[in-house]
Amino acid sequence: MEMRIGRILTLLALLLAPVFCRAQEMGVEVDYTHPRAYYVGGLSVTGNTYFSDQQIISQTGLREGMAVEVPGEELSAAVRRLWLQRFFEDVEIGIDSLNATRDSAWFSIRIKERPRVSRWSFSGVKSSERKDIEERLNLRRGGEFSEYVEKTSADIIKRYFAEKGFLLCDVKAEVQRDTVVKNAIRVNFAIDKGEKVRIKEINFIGNEHVKDFKIARSMKKTKSNKVYNFFSSKKFNEKEYVNDKKSAVSAFNEAGYRDARLVRDSIYYVEPGRLGIDLEFEEGDRYYFRDVTWTGNSVYASDALNTVLGIGKGDVYDVVTMEKRLFGGGKQNEMDVTKLYRDNGFLFFNVTPVETNIQNDSVDVELRISEGKQATLNNIVINGNDLTNEKVVRRQLFTRPGYLFSQSDFERSIREIASLGQFDPEAIMQEGGYSVVPNQLDNTVDLVFNVTEKPSSQLEVSGGWGGRTFVATVGVSFNNFSTHRMFEKGAWRPVPLGDAQNLAFRFQTNGGYYTALTASFTEPWLFGKKPTSLNLSAYYTRQTNSFLQLNILRNDKQMEVYGFAASLGTRLKWPDNYFILYNGLNWQSYRLTNWYSGYFIFDDGVAHNINYSINLSRNSSDQQIYPRTGSEFSLSLQLTPPFSLFRKHDLDANGNKVPVNSWRDINYDNWAGRDRFKWIEYNKWKFSGTVYSRLVGDLVLMTRAQFGYLGYYNRNWGYSPFEGFLVGGDGMSGYYSYGTEVISLRGYENYSLTPQEPSVYNTSGYAYAGNVYDKFTVELRYPIILQPSSTIYALAFLEGGNCWSDIKKFNPFEIKRSAGVGVRIFLPMVGLLGVDWGYGFDGPAGKKSQFHFVIGQQF
């Protein structure tokens, strides 16, 4: 016992040594072997620079008038409190002086502050990584540097790189005195990321009835280097690994093994930088559903709920699928019980599956429902629309205050905002882009949409090769224009914006040979309350042969096209509200002067094209730039008046009118091209269908089918010389903007699949005659970057199609095939750019490989 007391006294003496030493220096004689109580007469601080005297004194807990014992616990606790702040390298508390009666003491607190950090830096990392680390650490200049700061910062950096697959990351703090700033240091974290650690193999043990592939597919973030994981990351993330172990067990539950469990898992290196993972399972017995009953349901009958649930007696006891059909999380647009109720306003609905009886391999399940009351929409809040007017967002919504809550309408509203084009589609569709705030006390719900503005206007300055010539383009498109603010002061910066209208101007030329001017305007909500769009456009194109002869510019060959178009689009309610019906009127005038033979049926004269167009389209894709789900369908008809059916005269060889009894008696072989084609007539039918299917993650399969037919009213008059199809190549019209429709088919030269037919109206004797075409595309897409500032994705495609001169020759099985790869880049200020390489299997020898591209430059 005496030895223990001696050790305690020795330790106490060491703790109070600074106090004792300080007291001796000041000449105050205090007998420390006999503790004595003093009143604190005063407190002073020395050595402080960054902290005031009062800040330091308040941390000690000492105050004037309080009684302390020297030596004693009060002074020891005061020293410890200052040390715990980690701002000081040394702390001393001593007695300065005593009063005359020696019952009050004046104490001095002497500190040595840690040097402050004047600069934090990171070496061994990329600039983007450095920015992420700085945001995570939140270190500030002027802060202190201690062992605690060093350790916690190093741990955060290691965790950051571990999430990226660098499990062997090493971090060392390098400290240097700042020679410029007094009592300051510079701290650099030297980071050695090491080799990226990837998963090489995952071995499943004990799964006798569940295939390895099914277990591997259930693990979303932990993937081996198997071929079927080609597009998946192989990095090891410890946090995701914990979740994926649970997902692996769910693969057994999905197969009916409700008692399956993970017995053991181990992680080891199979080679440097490559991990192996062993997962050992115990399957247990397989179970089956027996009786499935519902309780608490009054809105929907049990039979209706069973139809949605889709589970019958004797089915495998698949808990995973049962939960998806109860709570959602299955395939896109697949109905579940929760959604069924929520679409009818029952936001507070809840269902709890309970196993009521387990007998041998059979399980009875009771589904206990709490329907709650219907929820009414209260506040619809829109945040983040700094530029776009709020009405533009609100008119896209299918949710209105006072309406019953509907899950489908809520999801549709998110999709409509994402496809608007003014906001980042990725941000609005992710968690945080929206929120549902229910209030069960008054059965209301608030919806919050958090949008993120993105640049939508485009400036195009580009050069591209198309139509066998190089064409320079300058264009500007204001995709968020506002006519309402045109007379508003300060709105022209550079143009009034905010109403999601589109105003575009475009100029193309390659010098004296080709010039094109276009202007267009679109108002998506013409009358403000209903989604009726107005589209106006005007254009002028001039093409010449433009050559020098005797130093004089000659333009003896020329084609001019004038045009104007107007259309109205209306969203329909039937068959569903994804359908839009467009009606339009178009006028074009073609003026050909000794034009190049072979392009059109005739090469000299004036032709007028007045037509009406109707287009029925349906678009349910989830966004514009990189759609993952949904579809796009379009069926259109464009037709002119049947002028030849109203004609009552023929022309003789001299061009004189000769009366006839019927339009069937007219022989157009005697007509000149300028007379026969003065008024163009045709009926043009087109169909296009596209489906987007998400395969795994962001890997998307796009399938598309297209068909077009340019028909006639009168076989004697024949096919129209304009509005036909040019099939083959990159699909760029280049200088060939009007008069034909260019259809891409990669892997072949431009227009090479378009047939030519004899013509008596041009000097070459032949002309393009693409009057029927079909095209089929299968495209696999995978994103590289999905950001508001840029979207980049790679693709691989299979394509086939062909073109015929007459509907009688049409053969859907006679197609020209191709395959290839490409990349797409979308920049908000430029638009979509692309590069493709295609191989045409049915092309001519030596020309089977083709590159197709457009080059754009942002200024």
Side-chain angles (χ1 to χ4, degrees):
M1 187 68 170
E2 293 179 357
M3 183 176 296
R4 181 178 298 176
I5 294 173
R7 290 176 179 174
I8 293 173
L9 292 175
T10 302
L11 179 60
L12 186 60
L14 290 173
L15 289 172
L16 297 179
V19 179
F20 174 76
C21 294
R22 186 65 179 159
Q24 292 300 320
E25 288 176 4
M26 296 177 181
V28 177
E29 295 181 2
V30 178
D31 187 358
Y32 287 98
T33 60
H34 296 86
R36 180 179 175 182
Y38 294 95
Y39 290 102
V40 178
L43 295 164
S44 62
V45 181
T46 59
N48 55 315
T49 302
Y50 298 106
F51 296 95
S52 66
D53 293 359
Q54 187 57 40
Q55 285 177 311
I56 295 174
I57 292 172
S58 65
Q59 292 293 331
T60 64
L62 301 176
R63 64 184 183 277
E64 291 187 20
M66 74 177 293
V68 297
E69 194 173 63
V70 181
E73 177 59 29
E74 291 88 352
L75 294 181
S76 298
V79 173
R80 285 198 300 271
R81 279 194 286 269
L82 290 176
W83 269 110
L84 289 174
Q85 301 305 311
R86 292 189 290 272
F87 295 131
F88 312 109
E89 289 185 341
D90 191 19
V91 179
E92 296 178 1
I93 300 180
I95 299 177
D96 251 347
S97 60
L98 301 174
N99 66 353
T101 58
R102 303 181 68 81
D103 61 348
S104 295
W106 276 257
F107 291 88
S108 175
I109 305 171
R110 181 178 178 181
I111 63 172
K112 183 180 180 182
E113 293 178 327
R114 293 183 185 274
R116 295 305 176 98
V117 181
S118 61
R119 180 183 177 187
W120 301 95
S121 60
F122 306 89
S123 59
V125 296
K126 301 176 182 177
S127 58
S128 59
E129 294 171 337
R130 180 171 62 250
K131 184 178 180 181
D132 292 340
I133 294 171
E134 288 173 347
E135 290 178 354
R136 292 199 179 197
L137 295 180
N138 196 25
L139 297 171
R140 65 184 188 280
R141 294 180 62 181
E144 79 286 348
F145 182 72
S146 62
E147 293 83 359
Y148 172 79
V149 174
E150 179 181 0
K151 183 178 184 304
T152 55
S153 298
D155 289 343
I156 292 173
I157 294 172
K158 288 179 181 179
R159 284 199 300 271
Y160 169 76
F161 283 106
E163 292 174 3
K164 292 180 172 290
F166 297 95
L167 304 182
L168 305 177
C169 178
D170 184 53
V171 181
K172 293 181 180 179
E174 300 172 344
V175 182
Q176 290 182 335
R177 288 284 175 180
D178 195 318
T179 58
V180 178
V181 182
K182 183 180 179 181
N183 195 30
I185 58 175
R186 296 182 177 183
V187 178
N188 175 64
F189 288 98
I191 303 171
D192 181 7
K193 295 189 291 187
E195 186 179 0
K196 199 167 190 177
V197 177
R198 300 180 185 274
I199 302 170
K200 183 177 182 180
E201 58 186 38
I202 301 178
N203 302 310
F204 303 110
I205 304 169
N207 55 313
E208 297 179 3
H209 302 93
V210 181
K211 295 182 179 181
D212 289 359
F213 175 74
K214 186 172 183 179
I215 304 174
R217 188 177 59 179
S218 69
M219 302 173 71
K220 303 301 182 184
K221 299 294 184 180
T222 308
K223 301 290 186 179
S224 66
N225 63 350
K226 297 286 188 181
V227 176
Y228 50 74
N229 293 325
F230 179 79
F231 291 102
S232 301
S233 172
K234 315 303 185 301
K235 69 181 181 182
F236 179 80
N237 187 313
E238 187 174 358
K239 184 189 297 185
E240 298 293 346
Y241 176 61
V242 174
N243 297 329
D244 280 339
K245 287 192 292 185
K246 298 177 183 178
S247 300
V249 175
S250 70
F252 290 88
N253 300 149
E254 196 171 355
Y257 297 93
R258 65 181 293 274
D259 300 327
R261 64 190 184 95
L262 180 63
V263 179
R264 177 185 63 86
D265 71 293
S266 59
I267 304 172
Y268 52 90
Y269 282 95
V270 294
E271 58 185 71
R274 295 294 180 267
L275 290 178
I277 299 177
D278 289 344
L279 298 175
E280 184 175 348
F281 299 93
E282 184 179 285
E283 288 185 337
D285 297 328
R286 195 177 196 184
Y287 290 82
Y288 301 87
F289 283 102
R290 189 167 62 181
D291 294 329
V292 179
T293 58
W294 301 83
T295 62
N297 55 306
S298 60
V299 178
Y300 295 103
S302 297
D303 290 342
L305 297 177
N306 282 329
T307 301
V308 177
L309 186 64
I311 294 176
K313 188 174 183 178
D315 289 350
V316 172
Y317 189 67
D318 180 357
V319 179
V320 177
T321 300
M322 179 180 68
E323 290 181 348
K324 288 180 179 179
R325 294 175 182 174
L326 287 175
F327 308 109
K331 295 181 179 180
Q332 181 78 7
N333 299 324
E334 189 176 58
M335 182 59 71
D336 56 78
V337 175
T338 298
K339 190 174 183 179
L340 179 69
Y341 270 90
R342 288 192 170 187
D343 279 352
N344 198 13
F346 292 92
L347 176 63
F348 309 109
F349 164 84
N350 185 42
V351 57
T352 305
V354 179
E355 297 175 346
T356 56
N357 186 26
I358 301 175
Q359 185 175 358
N360 298 326
D361 63 350
S362 300
V363 181
D364 293 338
V365 177
E366 184 177 85
L367 300 171
R368 299 173 181 175
I369 288 179
S370 173
E371 293 178 334
K373 294 184 178 180
Q374 290 175 303
T376 304
L377 296 174
N378 186 22
N379 296 314
I380 311 296
V381 182
I382 299 169
N383 298 320
N385 55 313
D386 302 323
L387 177 63
T388 305
N389 292 331
E390 187 168 312
K391 68 176 183 180
V392 173
V393 186
R394 288 195 178 276
R395 68 194 186 191
Q396 299 296 118
L397 303 181
F398 283 74
T399 53
R400 300 283 192 277
Y403 285 18
L404 285 177
F405 175 83
S406 169
Q407 184 71 28
S408 295
D409 288 346
F410 177 57
E411 294 173 358
R412 175 72 184 277
S413 298
I414 295 173
R415 192 197 76 85
E416 290 295 324
I417 294 175
S419 62
L420 187 60
Q422 314 303 328
F423 309 108
D424 178 16
E426 299 296 327
I428 187 64
M429 299 186 74
Q430 293 176 357
E431 187 174 352
Y434 55 86
S435 59
V436 179
V437 185
N439 186 350
Q440 202 161 0
L441 295 177
D442 59 2
N443 298 312
T444 62
V445 57
D446 295 340
L447 301 182
V448 181
F449 299 94
N450 300 311
V451 299
T452 303
E453 295 269 10
K454 71 170 187 176
S456 57
S457 297
Q458 297 175 0
L459 172 65
E460 180 184 7
V461 180
S462 64
W465 183 267
R468 295 183 288 275
T469 187
F470 182 85
V471 180
T473 302
V474 178
V476 62
S477 176
F478 301 104
N479 296 323
N480 200 4
F481 190 72
S482 173
T483 54
H484 180 72
R485 300 182 62 205
M486 289 180 63
F487 302 102
E488 182 179 319
K489 186 178 179 180
W492 291 84
R493 298 181 179 177
V495 295
L497 299 174
D499 283 348
Q501 298 168 341
N502 176 270
L503 179 65
F505 301 95
R506 200 164 186 254
F507 173 72
Q508 284 185 300
T509 185
N510 74 335
Y513 187 64
Y514 168 72
T515 301
L517 294 168
T518 61
S520 64
F521 173 77
T522 300
E523 165 56 77
W525 286 65
L526 180 59
F527 303 111
K529 295 183 179 180
K530 293 184 179 181
T532 299
S533 63
L534 170 66
N535 304 279
L536 302 173
S537 64
Y539 45 85
Y540 167 73
T541 298
R542 181 174 181 267
Q543 298 168 228
T544 72
N545 60 339
S546 186
F547 67 97
L548 286 174
Q549 188 177 57
L550 301 176
N551 293 324
I552 300 175
L553 185 65
R554 300 294 301 273
N555 294 315
D556 63 333
K557 297 180 183 294
Q558 180 173 293
M559 182 184 82
E560 291 181 294
V561 181
Y562 303 85
F564 176 79
S567 65
L568 289 175
T570 304
R571 180 185 293 165
L572 305 180
K573 296 182 179 180
W574 185 88
D576 60 34
N577 52 22
Y578 287 104
F579 281 89
I580 297 178
L581 181 66
Y582 290 96
N583 291 273
L585 290 174
N586 308 278
W587 166 77
Q588 288 175 321
S589 179
Y590 302 93
R591 300 176 185 272
L592 305 182
T593 304
N594 192 28
W595 187 237
Y596 285 104
S597 297
Y599 289 108
F600 301 118
I601 295 176
F602 75 112
D603 50 26
D604 206 348
V606 177
H608 301 286
N609 180 359
I610 299 175
N611 64 80
Y612 163 76
S613 62
I614 182 171
N615 181 294
L616 180 65
S617 64
R618 185 184 190 274
N619 185 349
S620 63
S621 59
D622 57 346
Q623 57 171 284
Q624 288 181 336
I625 307 304
Y626 190 78
R628 299 172 177 84
T629 60
S631 60
E632 300 171 5
F633 290 94
S634 174
L635 177 63
S636 67
L637 170 62
Q638 183 176 330
L639 49 90
T640 65
F643 297 106
S644 68
L645 303 186
F646 306 140
R647 196 165 288 141
K648 297 296 184 179
H649 68 272
D650 199 347
L651 295 180
D652 59 20
N654 297 321
N656 300 313
K657 292 184 178 181
V658 178
V660 293
N661 295 323
S662 169
W663 55 268
R664 295 184 178 87
D665 300 328
I666 300 174
N667 182 8
Y668 287 99
D669 293 339
N670 296 327
W671 290 48
R674 64 174 64 249
D675 297 322
R676 179 173 181 175
F677 302 115
K678 182 177 182 179
W679 295 99
I680 302 301
E681 62 177 56
Y682 61 87
N683 52 85
K684 188 176 183 179
W685 305 76
K686 291 194 299 180
F687 169 80
S688 175
T690 305
V691 177
Y692 303 97
S693 305
R694 187 199 299 264
L695 300 181
V696 178
D698 287 328
L699 180 64
V700 175
L701 179 68
M702 187 278 290
T703 55
R704 175 177 294 147
Q706 295 173 259
F707 172 79
Y709 168 58
L710 182 68
Y712 52 80
Y713 301 108
N714 181 357
R715 179 168 282 276
N716 290 337
W717 189 86
Y719 285 103
S720 168
F722 303 104
E723 298 302 322
F725 307 102
L726 295 178
V727 179
D730 50 31
M732 291 174 53
S733 59
Y735 67 84
Y736 218 47
S737 298
Y738 300 103
T740 56
E741 184 171 343
V742 180
I743 307 298
S744 70
L745 209 160
R746 293 164 287 188
Y748 297 91
E749 291 186 332
N750 287 352
Y751 320 150
S752 61
L753 301 182
T754 308
Q756 290 188 332
E757 291 291 330
S759 173
V760 297
Y761 296 110
N762 59 43
T763 55
S764 70
Y766 288 89
Y768 282 124
N771 297 315
V772 187
Y773 89 94
D774 65 3
K775 178 185 171 184
F776 307 94
T777 303
V778 177
E779 200 167 272
L780 198 63
R781 300 175 174 180
Y782 190 76
I784 301 171
I785 296 176
L786 293 176
Q787 299 292 339
S789 58
S790 62
T791 298
I792 303 176
Y793 63 89
L795 59 89
F797 66 86
L798 296 173
E799 207 157 62
N802 208 345
C803 187
W804 296 268
S805 61
D806 195 288
I807 189 65
K808 295 180 179 180
K809 299 179 181 179
F810 173 66
N811 183 354
F813 302 103
E814 183 186 335
I815 62 173
K816 307 296 183 180
R817 303 159 300 163
S818 67
V821 295
V823 65
R824 294 291 181 272
I825 303 173
F826 179 83
L827 302 173
M829 287 293 291
V830 177
L832 190 65
L833 309 177
V835 178
D836 290 325
W837 171 83
Y839 184 86
F841 296 103
D842 304 304
K847 295 183 179 181
K848 293 180 179 293
S849 176
Q850 299 286 333
F851 278 97
H852 312 288
F853 61 92
V854 177
I855 302 173
Q857 177 64 46
Q858 181 177 341
F859 288 84

